[in-house]
Amino acid sequence: EAGIPGILVGVSVDGKEVWSEGLGYADVENRVVCKPETIMRIASISKCLTMMAVAKLWEEGKLDLDAPVQKYVPEFPEKVYEGEKVAITTRLLVSHLSGIRHYEKDIAKVKEEKEKANRAVKLTKPYQDKEQKEKEGKGIGKTECDKPRKEHDGEVKSRSSKPGRRDKEFEQEEYYLKEKFESVIESLKIFKNDPLFFKPGSQFLYSTYGFTLLSAVVERVSGQKFTDYMLKMFRDLDMLSTVLDDNEAMIYNRARYYVYNKKGRLVNAPYVDNSYKWAGGGFLSSVGDLLKFGNALLYSYQVGQFKNTNGKLLPGYLKPDTVTMMWTPVPKTEVSWDRDGKYAMAWAVVEKKQEYGCCRQQRHYASHTGGAVGASSVLLILPEELNPEAIETGLVVPPRGVIVTIICNMQSVSLNSTALKIAREFDKQKWAQFID
């Protein structure tokens, strides 16, 4: 349907990996097939990994989320907006409220795109609502999410464009940087002297460069090179296949990346060096590792609700309250890949909601999509709605819920709604077995 050469999918239910598979080709020219161990660019899911490091440093009392970033990174100049001195904090960075630009340098173009997207949403909403009612009348799709609207970061194709072609997002030349940056501090030079697009905290603008600044904060606070700190964290999380997207290194099971050219032919994706954005889109991983990461988060989130008899349950990598904070929607934010969601702290979150009896229900889940040159990805966590009786009896242990991840070696492919369908299907099967 989408013309993807190779795709990886992984599903975990209640902490156990129940499905991981590679479909198609990791390398088309050499007929190397995808397998569960295949490693691909995870693009913006890298932001979720970076947030884990930020949260850990905050828990340890090393990082103040509300201190100006210059406290840790004096190389980043203090900013002025409309003649007023303003402060950018770590908390604003992780929720894309800092005013730092994304790949587009022209503020007028950004505003125009936002207005177009808002108009499109207003125009399509009556049609979508009508379509939803028709579906419900036929007894199907009652809990189905509608297709996402216009995407940022190249993570979702527009309805009219062919997957893999460069949509407007991928026309930005900074996507194709070939320069190798030796440090995260050095990569700040790309954007540090550019003006802010708005007063920090007043608006939402998705910004991968905001996460490049965040990596400098992590580096200074941890006292280690950002990449070293992250690789140590991956080791602690048992994510041994998660590495830097380094072109020179020998990385076993690494896939190749593809796009479609103007003639609609499959071609190799252009060469890029992602060392300027490790934190926001520079890691490679496997579906197995992303499931481990999702389970570490889900366990941390739920463990506080379980009765810990005789200290049988180990603590989570993060404290439950920390994950709750990370997954609390932030005002003034938006999520382009899921219209039910709001952005939180490096995660998109959909809250539990039901407005009318016997009508559409909205489950609580967290997700993040990713779009890179020649690659697309998604990681979705659907926590179980815990039964107080089961928790008290000690018959079940965390993590409880479904985690789905999909990675493919083709850019501009929408994967969030597919991941949600898969998660719901496995969730349904789990309860069907329980009833049997």
Side-chain angles (χ1 to χ4, degrees):
E1 184 180 301
I4 303 165
I7 193 162
L8 312 171
V9 59
V11 179
S12 155
V13 178
D14 298 343
K16 294 182 182 71
E17 188 179 298
V18 295
W19 180 32
S20 64
E21 192 172 352
L23 307 158
Y25 290 104
D27 180 338
V28 175
E29 288 165 282
N30 295 300
R31 288 292 185 266
V32 178
V33 295
C34 282
K35 51 190 176 180
E37 300 79 28
T38 300
I39 289 170
M40 291 187 187
R41 284 176 179 153
I42 61 168
S44 287
I45 295 174
S46 302
K47 293 178 174 73
C48 304
L49 305 185
T50 302
M51 185 63 219
M52 186 78 118
V54 169
K56 192 72 174 169
L57 291 165
W58 174 74
E59 276 189 354
E60 291 168 355
K62 295 176 181 174
L63 172 58
D64 181 352
L65 293 175
D66 298 305
V69 289
Q70 288 79 11
K71 177 180 176 181
Y72 309 110
V73 191
E75 292 88 343
F76 189 78
E78 291 187 341
K79 294 291 179 181
V80 173
Y81 184 76
E82 292 183 348
E84 180 191 349
K85 193 176 169 185
V86 292
I88 294 173
T89 65
T90 301
R91 193 183 295 277
L92 293 175
L93 289 173
V94 298
S95 297
H96 302 292
L97 296 167
S98 67
I100 292 172
R101 71 175 177 88
H102 193 34
Y103 297 110
E104 176 58 73
K105 295 178 186 178
D106 187 340
I107 189 167
K109 282 185 182 175
V110 171
K111 283 181 177 173
E112 190 184 327
E113 282 299 316
K114 271 205 161 194
E115 282 166 14
K116 270 187 196 171
N118 289 337
R119 279 201 299 272
V121 170
K122 282 175 188 170
L123 287 170
T124 56
K125 196 173 187 314
Y127 167 76
Q128 286 169 337
D129 289 346
K130 185 184 173 190
E131 198 178 49
Q132 185 68 29
K133 280 175 187 171
E134 284 171 2
K135 279 183 184 177
E136 287 173 7
K138 291 172 188 171
I140 57 168
K142 289 185 183 179
T143 58
E144 185 56 51
C145 264
D146 288 302
K147 292 273 182 181
R149 63 180 187 262
K150 179 73 181 83
E151 175 43 12
H152 64 60
D153 208 18
E155 286 158 3
V156 168
K157 61 183 172 102
S158 64
R159 286 170 191 258
S160 58
S161 70
K162 186 172 173 68
R165 282 202 185 146
R166 292 186 195 172
D167 54 27
K168 283 190 178 178
E169 181 69 37
F170 282 97
E171 287 170 9
Q172 302 302 325
E173 57 188 49
E174 283 176 351
Y175 251 111
Y176 304 96
L177 291 180
K178 294 173 177 59
E179 183 182 349
K180 187 175 179 66
F181 289 89
E182 294 303 323
S183 71
V184 294
I185 299 293
E186 190 193 343
S187 59
L188 296 176
K189 71 180 186 185
I190 299 170
F191 63 92
K192 71 178 185 180
N193 294 318
D194 293 341
L196 296 181
F197 276 18
F198 51 80
K199 185 180 176 181
S202 67
Q203 290 180 47
F204 176 88
L205 176 66
Y206 190 92
S207 170
T208 290
Y209 288 136
F211 273 72
T212 298
L213 176 54
L214 193 63
S215 64
V217 172
V218 170
E219 183 163 295
R220 289 292 165 73
V221 169
S222 66
Q224 297 176 50
K225 218 176 151 187
F226 172 73
T227 49
D228 290 346
Y229 184 84
M230 294 301 289
L231 292 172
K232 181 188 174 296
M233 185 184 86
F234 299 152
R235 193 163 175 270
D236 290 343
L237 294 165
D238 196 32
M239 296 167 63
L240 303 181
S241 298
T242 306
V243 293
L244 301 170
D245 187 3
D246 183 348
N247 291 308
E248 294 170 5
M250 289 290 165
I251 299 170
Y252 295 107
N253 298 317
R254 172 160 40 180
R256 297 186 70 169
Y257 308 107
Y258 301 93
V259 294
Y260 284 101
N261 66 13
K262 287 177 182 175
K263 292 179 180 176
R265 288 184 181 153
L266 189 72
V267 295
N268 288 306
Y271 173 89
V272 292
D273 191 304
N274 286 324
S275 59
Y276 70 103
K277 58 171 181 180
W278 297 129
F283 293 111
L284 306 175
S285 194
S286 64
V287 288
D289 269 18
L290 290 180
L291 292 179
K292 286 177 184 176
F293 175 71
N295 277 311
L297 259 179
L298 186 57
Y299 182 96
S300 298
Y301 180 62
Q302 292 177 331
V303 70
Q305 297 174 56
F306 284 79
K307 196 173 180 182
N308 196 358
T309 49
N310 305 322
K312 283 181 186 174
L313 292 176
L314 292 168
Y317 187 78
L318 296 175
K319 293 171 185 168
D321 289 348
T322 306
V323 187
T324 301
M325 175 184 76
M326 280 167 53
W327 285 350
T328 300
V330 174
K332 298 177 186 171
T333 62
E334 59 197 58
V335 177
S336 50
W337 63 84
D338 193 331
R339 72 180 190 139
D340 290 325
K342 286 273 184 194
Y343 210 83
M345 299 174 88
W347 283 92
V349 177
V350 171
E351 292 188 291
K352 183 182 176 183
K353 189 173 80 173
Q354 185 173 10
E355 289 183 47
Y356 311 106
C358 297
C359 293
R360 184 174 182 267
Q361 295 176 33
Q362 198 168 276
R363 277 279 297 276
H364 167 57
Y365 61 89
S367 74
H368 211 295
T369 60
V373 173
S376 305
S377 61
V378 65
L379 175 61
L380 187 142
I381 302 175
L382 181 71
E384 181 182 312
E385 294 173 359
L386 297 171
N387 181 333
E389 286 178 32
I391 293 169
E392 284 299 315
T393 56
L395 293 173
V396 295
V397 293
R400 305 287 299 177
V402 181
I403 297 168
V404 177
T405 184
I406 309 170
I407 324 171
C408 68
N409 55 357
M410 170 64 63
Q411 76 188 36
S412 303
V413 181
S414 170
L415 296 169
N416 192 73
S417 56
T418 305
L420 186 58
K421 284 176 193 171
I422 292 170
R424 283 182 169 147
E425 203 57 45
F426 275 86
D427 186 60
K428 205 192 302 175
Q429 289 298 320
K430 181 175 95 167
W431 291 110
Q433 286 171 1
F434 179 74
I435 291 162
D436 290 346

